[in-house]
Amino acid sequence: MRRTRRTTLLTGCTALVLALTATACGGDEPVAAGGGDKALGGQTVTVAGVWTGSEQKNFQKVLDAFTEKTGAKTQFISTGDNVSTVVGSKIEGGNAPDVVMVPQVGVLKQFAEKGWLKPLDQKVKSAVGGNFAKVWQDYGSVDGTLYGLYFKAAHKSTVWYSPEALEQAGVKAPKTYDEMLKNGQTISDSGLAAFSVAGQDGWTLTDWFENVYLSQAGPEKYDALAAHKIKWTDPTVVEALTTLGKLFKDKQLIAGGQKEALNTDFPGSVEKVFGPEPDAAMVYEGDFVAGVAKDQFGKTIGTDANFFPFPPVGDGKAPVVSGGDAAVVLKDGKNSKAGMALVEYLASPEAAAVWAEAGGFLSPNKKLDLASYGDDVTRATAKSLIAAGDSVRFDMSDQAPAAFGGTKGAGEWKILQDFLRDPADPKKTAAELEAAAAKAYGN
C-alpha cells in the first residue's frame, strides 16, 4: 500500500555526466544512451507509476534529464494506488507501458511470476551491483533473477519530534526504546501527550510492529516471518506485540488515548505534533513526515521539527525498515529496449541527484553524493539509510500478499487496529494474524 510521501520542494541544479548504452528499438546495433548525443531521438518511453502532485513533477525532472541526454521523449502515466490492476488492463489492451515504477516487493514478484517482466540486462546489473547494497538487489530479484531497480526509498525508522516540546519537558532524544517511553512519561507529566498515533490508517500500525519486531527478534526472524516461513503465533511475535501493547494501552502516552488514535489518520497524526495547537510531542513514521510538517504546517526542518532513529528494543539493534519504488521493464512495452536504457540511467547517481536536489526524495544509491540533498536533516536520514547497508529490511506488510498486508479493513491492518483498541491479549492477536496470513499465503 502506498504511503504519503515527502513533498518538500527545494531548489537546485545538477550537472549530469552519464554514459548509457542501449539497443535501439527495431535494430541490433548498440546505441549510446548518454553523453548528450541524442542517440535515442525519435523514440518515446512510457513510464507508469503511482506518483501524483509534487512527486510526479519531481520525477518528471528526472525524465527530462534523460531526454536531454538521449533525445528520447517520455510519457508518464499515473496509475493511482492499484498499480497491478491498471498495468494488467493495459497489457491486455495491447497498450503496455515500457517501464513501471513498482511500489511493493509483493507486486514486483507478482509481475515476474505472471511473465510480464524483462530481466534487467548486463549493463543495468553492473550498475546496480556497483551502486546499491546487496539487500536492494535481493529485493529487486525473483528466484535469483534481477528485475527491479530501486530508485526511490523511504526510511521508516524515524521518530519525529518537536524540539521545543522535548526541551520544555527537560528530556533529550532517547537512545533506547525504554528510554523513549520513560521520556514519554516525563513529557506527559508536563501536560503534553508523548505520542500521536495514526491508528485510523492500519499501515502505520504495521510499521510500528515491524520496527519493534526487527529490533527485538532480529533480521533472520524478520525475514522468516515476512515470507511466512514461521507462523505469526511464534513466541517472538507475541513478545513484540506485548512490547507494543505496553505503549498502546498507556492513555497518558498516546494523545487522546486509544479511541482518539483510532480516529486519527496519518496527516492528522503529524498535525497533532506540528500543527498550530499541538497535542503531542512525538510522532513515529517515515522520513516523509518532514514533508507534511514543512508543506502543511510551515515548520523548518531541523529547527521546528527533527527526528531521532527508532531506538533499539531491549538487547536488540536499532532497526532500519524501508520501503521503495522499483523500476521494471515490461516485455510487452512497445519500446522496452529504450525503457531498459532509462532504467540504466535511473541506476546512476546522476539521476538520483536530480530528484535529491528537488527535494522529497531518498535514494538507496550509495554512490549519490549526500551534498545533493538540500538540507541537513534529509542528509542525515539518507546517511542512516545508506550506512545500514544490508541490515535494511523492506517493509514487511509490503512483502505480503495484499489481502493480508495491504487491504483497508482486513488482514494485518484491521487486526492491529483491533489490538490498538484492546491490547490485553497478545496471544489472541497473534493467532488472528496467523489465521489471516495462512489464508492469504495459501498455507
Side-chain angles (χ1 to χ4, degrees):
M1 175 55 61
R2 297 300 297 159
R3 312 301 196 237
T4 302
R5 300 295 183 89
R6 293 191 56 198
T7 54
T8 323
L9 293 178
L10 303 168
T11 58
C13 60
T14 187
L16 300 178
V17 181
L18 179 67
L20 293 170
T21 57
T23 303
C25 183
D28 295 322
E29 293 299 316
V31 295
D37 57 4
K38 306 296 190 292
L40 298 179
Q43 301 186 42
T44 299
V45 181
T46 55
V47 185
V50 300
W51 298 319
T52 59
S54 61
E55 285 186 307
Q56 182 178 339
K57 290 177 183 177
N58 288 336
F59 183 56
Q60 188 62 51
K61 294 177 182 178
V62 180
L63 296 179
D64 291 345
F66 174 72
T67 297
E68 180 66 23
K69 286 296 177 183
T70 67
K73 295 181 180 179
T74 63
Q75 180 183 7
F76 183 79
I77 304 163
S78 184
T79 64
D81 284 342
N82 204 343
V83 179
S84 56
T85 300
V86 173
V87 172
S89 65
K90 286 188 174 295
I91 290 174
E92 290 178 7
N95 192 30
D98 301 307
V99 174
V100 180
M101 306 304 295
V102 178
Q104 294 160 289
V105 171
V107 174
L108 189 152
K109 182 178 181 182
Q110 175 191 7
F111 282 14
E113 291 175 344
K114 288 185 175 182
W116 291 356
L117 304 183
K118 292 186 70 171
L120 299 184
D121 68 21
Q122 190 56 49
K123 292 188 294 296
V124 182
K125 288 168 65 176
S126 178
V128 172
N131 296 347
F132 296 80
K134 184 177 181 297
V135 66
W136 293 103
Q137 301 172 51
D138 292 343
Y139 284 128
S141 301
V142 179
D143 295 331
T145 298
L146 183 65
Y147 291 104
L149 174 277
Y150 275 92
F151 178 63
K152 189 176 189 288
H155 192 326
K156 293 190 172 184
S157 297
T158 53
V159 181
W160 293 84
Y161 67 93
S162 163
E164 181 183 3
L166 265 63
E167 183 179 351
Q168 288 184 352
V171 299
K172 296 182 179 180
K175 301 297 184 183
T176 67
Y177 186 85
D178 285 344
E179 185 184 355
M180 182 172 72
L181 297 189
K182 182 179 178 181
N183 288 357
Q185 291 288 355
T186 302
I187 292 167
S188 297
D189 290 342
S190 72
L192 193 67
F195 293 100
S196 172
V197 175
Q200 184 176 314
D201 290 327
W203 60 265
T204 66
L205 303 182
T206 70
D207 291 348
W208 266 106
F209 171 82
E210 288 156 10
N211 276 276
V212 170
Y213 188 81
L214 177 57
S215 181
Q216 203 166 47
E220 291 184 6
K221 284 283 190 178
Y222 184 96
D223 293 343
L225 186 61
H228 203 220
K229 292 180 178 178
I230 60 173
K231 293 184 177 182
W232 283 78
T233 48
D234 191 88
T236 57
V237 176
V238 177
E239 184 182 16
L241 288 170
T242 300
T243 297
L244 197 54
K246 291 178 182 177
L247 169 63
F248 284 174
K249 70 183 179 184
D250 194 320
K251 298 184 185 301
Q252 270 192 300
L253 289 180
I254 298 177
Q258 293 135 296
K259 184 176 181 180
E260 187 169 322
L262 285 163
N263 289 314
T264 302
D265 62 9
F266 166 68
S269 72
V270 179
E271 182 177 7
K272 285 182 182 296
V273 178
F274 300 112
E277 298 180 5
D279 294 319
M282 297 178 281
V283 58
Y284 157 69
E285 249 312 324
D287 61 278
F288 38 85
V289 168
V292 181
K294 179 180 183 294
D295 295 340
Q296 293 190 22
F297 306 114
K299 298 301 180 183
T300 300
I301 306 304
T303 303
D304 304 322
N306 211 332
F307 82 96
F308 56 83
F310 197 102
V313 183
D315 296 328
K317 295 181 179 180
V320 180
V321 177
S322 185
D325 300 89
V328 299
V329 180
L330 294 192
K331 286 181 178 178
D332 291 344
K334 292 182 172 60
N335 204 352
S336 60
K337 292 180 180 179
M340 192 70 72
L342 172 60
V343 176
E344 187 180 357
Y345 171 63
L346 295 178
S348 72
E350 290 82 5
V354 177
W355 198 338
E357 292 188 0
F361 175 82
L362 285 183
S363 172
N365 192 320
K366 61 187 180 183
K367 296 292 183 63
L368 174 64
D369 187 346
L370 292 177
S372 300
Y373 294 104
D375 64 87
D376 290 340
V377 172
T378 306
R379 274 188 285 275
T381 312
K383 183 178 181 180
S384 171
L385 182 71
I386 296 299
D390 288 334
S391 66
V392 170
R393 287 299 181 270
F394 207 94
D395 183 301
M396 191 186 296
S397 63
D398 281 356
Q399 297 184 57
F404 177 65
T407 301
K408 187 174 182 178
E412 190 180 2
W413 290 20
K414 182 177 186 302
I415 294 168
L416 288 180
Q417 286 173 321
D418 291 342
F419 182 66
L420 170 60
R421 184 177 291 107
D422 180 9
D425 194 344
K427 286 186 177 180
K428 177 185 175 185
T429 297
E432 291 171 350
L433 286 165
E434 172 55 28
K439 183 178 180 181
Y441 282 88
N443 56 1

